[in-house]
């Protein structure tokens, strides 16, 4: 990720009003200064004049810069980075089991790093709060999918990642946010990212909770499936891959080819 000789200028999101996008479209006016992604007046996170010949380089540089920006903002940046790596791996395993195309697999991996990127626009007092959020704070926190979509929408290479960013907090029964989508209205890649994200969140320590054992995490996901919150077919996928999910992957797992991941899925164990 990152090609130092091939940089591109990211549109200055702080000029949204000049581009005909009203501040209220971002829903959180106080988030606008953060959405410039600026290191100084008029400076973008990614600088330079050379537009890469390969749009995937542009996308990867953009993802790298945004992820670094979010890591800088949160107190546990190292944990966040590890979370993204694990999420990319788990989502990829689920994608292989479902027989997704290579292009969808690439979107899944990118979505693992960008799904919560809208939290760049959430005030630190809310984002880093250790206790439960009050109603006003929760309303603000729930804006991060729309903010993330806004940040990434101008890069054509990320077009297929936008539904992951916007819809990974929807619920199967329609009680999620931001759009109240239900069932298969929720994009499949968003559903995959969500269930992998939930499993990782349950099995790792967070400021507001201890880590659950893998068996307990699976039990909670199954209960949420029975409650109507999760896609039943993906709950089944998690159950099928549980022997893999509950064990630590090898250190080089993030570099596994699709063929290697397919073998892991087939054997239900790390090779």
């Amino acid at each position: 990720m990152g090609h130092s000789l091939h940089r591109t200028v990211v549109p200055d999101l702080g000029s949204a009003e000049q581009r005909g996008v009203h501040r209220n479209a971002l829903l959180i006016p106080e988030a606008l200064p953060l959405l410039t992604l600026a290191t100084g007046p008029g400076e973008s996170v990614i600088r330079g004049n050379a537009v890469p010949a390969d749009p995937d380089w542009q996308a990867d540089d953009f993802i790298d810069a945004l992820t670094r920006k979010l890591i800088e903002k949160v107190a546990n940046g190292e944990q966040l980075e590890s979370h993204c790596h694990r999420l990319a791996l788990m989502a990829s395993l689920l994608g292989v089991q479902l027989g997704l195309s290579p292009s969808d697999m690439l979107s899944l991996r990118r979505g693992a790093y960008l799904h919560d990127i809208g939290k760049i626009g959430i005030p630190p007092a809310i984002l880093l709060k250790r206790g439960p959020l009050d109603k006003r704070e929760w309303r603000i926190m729930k804006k991060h999918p729309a903010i993330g979509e806004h940040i990434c929408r101008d890069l054509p290479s990320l077009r297929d990642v936008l539904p992951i960013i916007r819809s990974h907090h929807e619920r199967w029964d329609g009680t999620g946010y931001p759009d109240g989508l239900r069932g298969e209205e929720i994009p499949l890649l968003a559903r995959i990212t969500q269930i992998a994200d939930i499993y990782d969140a349950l099995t790792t320590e967070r400021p507001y909770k201890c880590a659950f054992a893998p068996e307990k995490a699976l039990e909670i996901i199954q209960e949420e499936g029975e409650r109507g919150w999760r896609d039943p077919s993906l709950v089944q996928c998690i159950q099928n891959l549980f022997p893999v999910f509950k064990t630590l992957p090898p250190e080089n797992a993030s570099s596994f080819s699709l063929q290697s991941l397919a073998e892991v899925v087939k054997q239900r164990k790390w090779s």
Side-chain angles (χ1 to χ4, degrees):
M1 186 179 294
H3 297 259
S4 59
L5 299 179
H6 300 275
R7 295 294 188 188
T8 185
V9 175
V10 174
D12 181 2
L13 296 177
S15 61
E17 290 176 305
Q18 298 173 4
R19 293 161 50 212
V21 180
H22 193 273
R23 287 172 69 106
N24 289 341
L26 295 177
L27 305 176
I28 307 177
E30 61 264 39
L32 194 61
L34 294 168
L35 296 180
T36 62
L37 304 182
T39 55
E43 293 182 322
S44 296
V45 167
I46 303 174
R47 307 173 200 153
N49 298 315
V51 176
D54 184 349
D56 282 339
W57 290 355
Q58 182 180 2
D60 288 343
D61 281 349
F62 190 60
I63 293 168
D64 190 37
L66 286 176
T67 304
R68 287 200 311 270
K69 196 70 176 177
L70 183 56
I71 287 171
E72 289 169 6
K73 184 175 182 181
V74 301
N76 58 341
E78 185 176 335
Q79 293 179 24
L80 173 63
E81 189 171 13
S82 297
H83 164 65
C84 290
H85 291 325
R86 291 191 303 270
L87 179 54
L89 184 58
M90 288 189 289
S92 295
L93 288 168
L94 290 169
V96 167
Q97 185 179 29
L98 292 168
L100 297 187
S101 68
S103 62
D104 280 344
M105 295 294 295
L106 177 60
S107 295
L108 265 184
R109 291 188 64 84
R110 289 175 169 172
Y113 289 92
L114 292 176
H115 68 291
D116 272 342
I117 206 65
K119 289 181 178 178
I120 287 175
I122 302 300
I126 296 176
L127 184 62
L128 304 179
K129 185 176 180 180
R130 287 190 165 271
L133 301 180
D134 61 32
K135 290 183 178 180
R136 182 192 69 84
E137 292 168 334
W138 185 236
R139 282 197 300 270
I140 293 174
M141 179 65 85
K142 288 168 71 174
K143 306 303 181 185
H144 78 267
I147 295 174
E149 180 187 44
H150 182 89
I151 290 172
C152 298
R153 70 182 184 181
D154 288 328
L155 197 61
S157 296
L158 295 181
R159 180 178 59 250
D160 294 335
V161 180
L162 296 182
I164 297 175
I165 297 171
R166 184 172 184 90
S167 301
H168 70 281
H169 284 294
E170 300 288 355
R171 288 178 177 170
W172 191 249
D173 64 359
T175 61
Y177 65 90
D179 301 309
L181 302 179
R182 72 167 53 238
E184 293 187 357
E185 293 175 348
I186 308 167
L188 175 60
L189 300 189
R191 284 179 268 149
I192 294 171
T193 301
Q194 177 194 70
I195 204 159
D197 189 28
I198 291 169
Y199 180 84
D200 191 67
L202 290 170
T203 54
T204 55
E205 184 177 355
R206 299 292 175 92
Y208 52 86
K209 60 170 279 297
C210 62
F212 291 115
E215 290 76 12
K216 180 62 177 177
L218 178 62
E219 180 184 331
I220 291 172
I221 289 174
Q222 290 170 330
E223 290 173 353
E224 292 187 349
E226 292 169 1
R227 196 179 303 168
W229 288 2
R230 312 298 168 213
D231 180 343
S233 66
L234 291 180
V235 174
Q236 184 62 53
C237 284
I238 286 277
Q239 292 174 199
N240 293 343
L241 287 175
F242 186 64
V244 179
F245 277 28
K246 71 177 182 178
T247 55
L248 289 175
E251 291 185 2
N252 66 335
S254 61
S255 63
F256 274 22
S257 66
L258 291 182
Q259 184 177 359
S260 297
L261 290 177
E263 189 63 25
V264 172
V265 169
K266 180 180 178 181
Q267 300 293 333
R268 296 191 186 181
K269 65 179 182 179
W270 294 106
S271 54

